[in-house]
Amino acid sequence: MDRLIKPDHQVLDLLFLRNQKCSQSFKLTNLMHTMSVAISLTSSTPSIFSFSQSFSIIPPLKTAIFTVSLNKPCDHPPLSTPPATILVRSSMLPTGKAHQDDLRRLFSKPGPHIFKDATIPISLVGPHVAEYLLSPCSKSLEMNFLFSKAISYCDESQLTRLLRVAVENGNSQFVSALIEAGADVNDRDLNGESLVCLGVRSGKTDVVRILIESGFVIDEKIDRFLHVAAATNRVDLMEIMCLGFADIDLNLTNSEGQTALHLAAIHGQIEALRFLVSVGSEVDTTDFAGWTPLHYAANEGQFEAVEFLLNHSVYAKYAVTKDGKTAFALAVEKGYLELYDLLHLGDLLHRAARIDDVHTMKSCLAQGAKVDGKDQNGWTPLHRAAFKGHLESVKLLVSYGARVDVVDGTGYTPLLRAVEAGHVEVGMYLLSHGAKASLKSLKGVVDYDMECFKNHFSLVSPLHQEKERA
């Protein structure tokens, strides 16, 4: 015979309640038919756990109840790896009677008369244990096993509350375990914030993906998680949400009428801007104050965001807020000099070059307008002045460092635009200041020397003049 006693638990689950006295009962049965058995109970952590009685006698084939308790209430569960255990030892007692001191002496001397009947692990369970395991202070090496055990004693409301903590902490394994155990994935707090929005704030893509795949239902009256992701430049999260919700409204607005694109612009999140525009967000949309994303980017001095939005906007540069302000006006108020050219001076310089307004051109350049700034067709002010034949404007631009061989969107230099329009004097001036003597034709690029250009201009100019008169 290798044991005299049989316990009713292989593992003893003790429900832990924070700062409360915690205990759990278990049974031991005497397997002997004719003889009483002496019992000794010891804990592997006697400073933490104690017993209602450490020594006892169980009559033949009888069962006795014992209780293990935490020695004192504590704020967090005394978890350990490996877990604390109860050692059950026994010894035959022919007399059937003995005092406590006799039993203590009996078990103090090792020998073949002592049987080690069982080692019972103590598993602390319940919502307070699970909450502790979710906290950063928990460093248990067997956390996943302990967590699964702990939540088996939680009801749905407790599981759901723990799920919110797990999502906030970004622990995907615990999130999965809680949902599988019965937590409500569509739970919302008192302010209506969803678990997905909380997951986006935590920044964990795997958590957000699990919530969506577990049946989360979006509520467009409340949910604004695209806004949160856009503000933090989390394109990966936005991709997951757009894939998870095929009908998601990209232009959904918050309480101020702002879309996710507005938020990305405010924070200068270039990757978020690119993604949102690529999937269909409206660049020129306005909020309740009449502000476009460009207005916000200009107001915050977000140069890259301003540049990007200008390249994808139809009218935002010229749009005015309800206070009558353009994006340029907002940039001026804040003193963002580097934005002046993008938002206003560049346009003004191009316009002045087109009409040969040298005075305005000088003013623009003095204020920081880029002499080689391009319009939507790739034209610089020099392209425009050369094409119009404005020699004084061409001279001014060259004196300010304009590149004479910069190409536009179709591969034409200012010189080629002058040739195209038949402006000989402008063409000769550009040649004298380093412009390359080359013309673009249907068959490729053909090089000319100075004399060829003179002959070309002498032929083109009358034709051009005749066309102008017509």
Side-chain angles (χ1 to χ4, degrees), residues 159-221:
L159 290 169
T160 302
R161 180 177 60 82
L162 290 168
L163 177 60
R164 183 164 289 274
V165 177
V167 170
E168 190 172 12
N169 292 346
N171 192 310
S172 59
Q173 290 181 316
F174 287 175
V175 167
S176 295
L178 287 162
I179 293 173
E180 187 175 342
D184 182 7
V185 74
N186 285 298
D187 178 66
R188 295 176 182 272
D189 64 13
L190 295 176
N191 297 318
E193 185 178 59
S194 68
L195 287 166
V196 167
C197 191
L198 193 61
V200 172
R201 293 187 193 282
S202 77
K204 297 293 185 180
T205 56
D206 48 355
V207 168
V208 174
R209 186 180 290 108
I210 290 168
L211 291 170
I212 293 174
E213 292 175 352
S214 297
F216 174 79
V217 179
I218 189 172
D219 184 349
E220 292 189 349
K221 294 180 180 179

Side-chain angles (χ1 to χ4, degrees), residues 74-237:
C74 49
D75 184 57
H76 58 79
L79 300 173
S80 61
T81 305
T85 57
I86 300 170
L87 176 60
V88 181
R89 294 184 297 164
S90 64
S91 181
M92 288 184 284
L93 194 63
T95 63
K97 296 180 180 180
H99 294 292
Q100 289 290 308
D101 289 341
D102 295 330
L103 295 177
R104 187 175 290 106
R105 283 192 294 272
L106 174 65
F107 287 103
S108 66
K109 298 178 182 179
H113 64 289
I114 303 297
F115 290 79
K116 293 182 179 180
D117 291 275
T119 300
I120 308 172
I122 301 174
S123 179
L124 297 175
V125 297
H128 292 174
V129 176
E131 189 173 341
Y132 174 76
L133 290 169
L134 285 170
S135 68
C137 59
S138 174
K139 297 181 174 62
S140 173
L141 297 178
E142 297 180 4
M143 189 181 298
N144 292 336
F145 171 77
L146 294 175
F147 187 78
S148 296
K149 187 75 172 178
I151 64 175
S152 65
Y153 281 76
C154 298
D155 60 28
E156 182 179 339
S157 63
Q158 292 169 333
L159 290 169
T160 302
R161 180 177 60 82
L162 290 168
L163 177 60
R164 183 164 289 274
V165 177
V167 170
E168 190 172 12
N169 292 346
N171 192 310
S172 59
Q173 290 181 316
F174 287 175
V175 167
S176 295
L178 287 162
I179 293 173
E180 187 175 342
D184 182 7
V185 74
N186 285 298
D187 178 66
R188 295 176 182 272
D189 64 13
L190 295 176
N191 297 318
E193 185 178 59
S194 68
L195 287 166
V196 167
C197 191
L198 193 61
V200 172
R201 293 187 193 282
S202 77
K204 297 293 185 180
T205 56
D206 48 355
V207 168
V208 174
R209 186 180 290 108
I210 290 168
L211 291 170
I212 293 174
E213 292 175 352
S214 297
F216 174 79
V217 179
I218 189 172
D219 184 349
E220 292 189 349
K221 294 180 180 179
I222 303 174
D223 292 319
R224 296 295 180 273
F225 35 68
L226 273 181
H227 290 68
V228 177
T232 54
N233 211 32
R234 291 301 302 270
V235 174
D236 52 347
L237 289 171

Side-chain angles (χ1 to χ4, degrees), residues 382-460:
L382 188 59
H383 278 95
R384 201 167 294 283
F387 182 72
K388 289 293 184 178
H390 300 320
L391 184 59
E392 291 305 312
S393 292
V394 168
K395 289 180 178 179
L396 175 68
L397 292 166
V398 171
S399 72
Y400 270 86
R403 294 167 54 199
V404 294
D405 284 325
V406 64
V407 296
D408 62 18
T410 56
Y412 278 72
T413 64
L415 174 60
L416 295 178
R417 289 302 178 190
V419 171
E420 179 186 26
H423 301 303
V424 178
E425 194 172 1
V426 170
M428 297 303 296
Y429 178 83
L430 291 171
L431 282 168
S432 68
H433 283 77
K436 293 180 181 178
S438 61
L439 282 175
K440 186 173 181 179
S441 69
L442 294 176
K443 295 182 180 179
V445 177
V446 182
D447 291 328
Y448 288 80
D449 57 21
M450 292 286 286
E451 195 61 36
C452 289
F453 267 110
K454 291 178 183 178
N455 294 333
H456 180 81
F457 282 130
S458 65
L459 292 173
V460 171

Side-chain angles (χ1 to χ4, degrees), residues 266-300:
I266 290 170
H267 296 280
Q269 307 294 17
I270 300 300
E271 294 304 318
L273 287 172
R274 288 197 182 102
F275 174 79
L276 288 167
V277 171
S278 71
V279 294
S281 293
E282 296 178 9
V283 178
D284 292 318
T285 187
T286 58
D287 65 7
F288 296 152
W291 287 47
T292 65
L294 180 63
H295 282 102
Y296 281 107
N299 190 62
E300 298 297 327

